[in-house]
Amino acid sequence: MAEEISTFLKQALDELSIHRENKVCVISIVSKSALGENLSKVALLNQLVEKQMFTSYASMKKFDNCSIEVFFDADNQCIFLNFQSPYELNSFEFRRAESENYHQWWMDKEKQVVAHLLYLFSISQIVLFLQPTCRFDLSYLRLFRNLNYLREKCLTSVQDILSDITSVPKGWSKEGRAGCPRVLFLFSRPPSFMKPDGTVETRKGSYKKLAACLEDQIFRLFRKSRIVTNNSSISICSLPSKQSFCYIFGPNEEPKEFGREILSNLSCSDDKKNEYEDYGFKNFFFDHVDLAFSSGFDDNA
């Protein structure tokens, strides 16, 4: 099972020593969720690698501060980082003293979010953003700009710290991070007119067209806001130019908690089961992971 990142790092040198010579891909997942939201990033990750990596929302304790859970998947040589933030309304508990100013309290939480995300962006090769709707959340633009600003402020200090550690590669100390992470966006709840009719292939074709439109929109916004530039060393993240970086979950493709999935399969027809088992997201995701292991990313070049 996953554990807190502080606990994981204390034990990492001993427990991961047998994997010292192996390449590892670090993947972070960030999400926003509405109250009662069905699409769970925990279920998404568990289903992705077919393991119970993270505790389901139904059984997990609520948290009131930002935190990071870690799971090392030795089979796929991937480290998964699950970022828990106030934007996850299903699991975040809003604790605030009555005398505390709400605006200041929320600003403090947003500072926590940016600080944690900068850490994740500094050590990850891939960052997944899971959204509860099928529209790009424009508030992410401000978030990414804040990340860029904070990185510029901290860059010199981080470079000095890393350069003093002999085991850290020179490229890391020069850039102040492990690399420029590739960002992938995952969307759920496609428009209702795309759901009910047509064959599976027709619906998937419609989803791909919508995903392509979202990619064009996001790419233009990120370029215009200078979140993504031609120089990866000054960009907080990257977007692939030759691979799709948006994925839309169909209504029967959204991952469920393990218990709910069993009940759902029992009540589904064979056609629905076949449609659900044809799980395109796994191929979408591991295409990026395989590239990270083989030649690495050459985005923003």
Side-chain angles (χ1 to χ4, degrees):
M1 290 293 291
E3 53 192 352
E4 284 289 327
I5 191 166
S6 56
T7 305
F8 175 83
L9 291 175
K10 289 177 183 177
Q11 304 170 353
L13 287 177
D14 295 330
E15 294 185 357
L16 303 182
S17 58
I18 59 174
H19 303 282
R20 188 183 298 274
E21 302 301 323
N22 298 331
K23 290 183 178 180
V24 172
C25 184
V26 181
I27 299 132
S28 298
I29 183 164
V30 183
S31 74
K32 291 186 177 183
S33 66
L35 288 172
E37 181 60 48
N38 290 327
L39 181 58
S40 162
K41 68 173 179 180
V42 167
L44 173 68
L45 292 174
N46 290 342
Q47 185 169 298
L48 186 64
V49 297
E50 299 177 356
K51 295 177 183 176
Q52 189 74 17
M53 296 192 298
F54 298 99
T55 306
S56 67
Y57 283 146
S59 57
M60 73 182 294
K61 293 181 179 179
K62 289 199 171 187
F63 54 91
D64 58 0
N65 275 309
C66 295
S67 62
I68 300 172
E69 285 186 311
V70 188
F71 182 86
F72 175 56
D73 179 18
D75 295 335
N76 293 302
Q77 290 296 302
C78 292
I79 295 178
F80 290 93
L81 304 175
N82 174 27
F83 178 49
Q84 297 173 319
S85 76
Y87 297 120
E88 298 177 59
L89 300 183
N90 268 340
S91 52
F92 190 80
E93 187 171 4
F94 290 84
R95 292 182 181 176
R96 180 179 64 89
E98 292 184 3
S99 59
E100 191 175 4
N101 180 277
Y102 178 81
H103 177 70
Q104 185 59 48
W105 177 85
W106 183 251
M107 291 295 292
D108 291 340
K109 295 300 178 187
E110 285 199 324
K111 289 177 182 177
Q112 283 187 23
V113 169
V114 174
H116 280 73
L117 282 179
L118 181 60
Y119 174 73
L120 293 178
F121 273 65
S122 299
I123 63 174
S124 302
Q125 279 76 50
I126 298 174
V127 181
L128 304 175
F129 278 85
L130 178 61
Q131 297 193 187
T133 65
C134 210
R135 292 178 293 180
F136 177 66
D137 189 342
L138 293 177
S139 67
Y140 277 138
L141 295 178
R142 183 170 68 92
L143 177 63
F144 278 87
R145 284 196 293 265
N146 289 340
L147 283 171
N148 234 345
Y149 174 79
L150 183 59
R151 179 173 180 262
E152 290 174 1
K153 286 289 185 182
C154 301
L155 183 58
T156 303
S157 299
V158 174
Q159 287 172 331
D160 292 341
I161 293 171
L162 293 179
S163 61
D164 291 337
I165 305 174
T166 56
S167 59
V168 171
K170 289 184 178 180
W172 291 19
S173 57
K174 181 181 178 181
E175 297 290 335
R177 57 184 177 180
C180 185
R182 174 177 283 193
V183 175
L184 308 177
F185 293 95
L186 315 177
F187 300 89
S188 63
R189 295 213 303 260
S192 57
F193 67 84
M194 300 177 68
K195 291 183 182 180
D197 301 319
T199 63
V200 175
E201 290 75 16
T202 302
R203 285 199 291 272
K204 286 191 174 181
S206 299
Y207 296 155
K208 286 182 179 179
K209 289 179 182 178
L210 180 57
C213 291
L214 286 167
E215 288 173 3
D216 290 340
Q217 178 193 23
I218 293 170
F219 185 81
R220 288 198 302 268
L221 288 170
F222 275 40
R223 280 286 189 175
K224 189 173 182 179
S225 302
R226 296 194 60 79
I227 295 169
V228 168
T229 68
N230 289 332
N231 187 351
S232 61
S233 64
I234 62 173
S235 300
I236 190 65
C237 63
S238 68
L239 297 173
S241 58
K242 298 180 181 179
Q243 280 182 287
S244 178
F245 59 87
C246 288
Y247 189 86
I248 299 173
F249 291 100
N252 296 305
E253 196 181 22
E254 294 182 356
K256 303 176 178 66
E257 306 292 358
F258 279 175
R260 290 170 55 200
E261 182 181 353
I262 294 172
L263 293 175
S264 176
N265 285 339
L266 289 174
S267 61
C268 280
S269 64
D270 290 338
D271 291 340
K272 290 289 185 181
K273 286 182 184 179
N274 292 334
E275 180 179 344
Y276 183 73
E277 288 169 0
D278 187 11
Y279 192 49
F281 172 67
K282 195 166 188 177
N283 294 330
F284 167 85
F285 173 75
F286 278 106
D287 281 347
H288 292 275
V289 173
D290 292 342
L291 182 61
F293 277 118
S294 57
S295 59
F297 301 139
D298 189 22
D299 303 330
N300 302 356

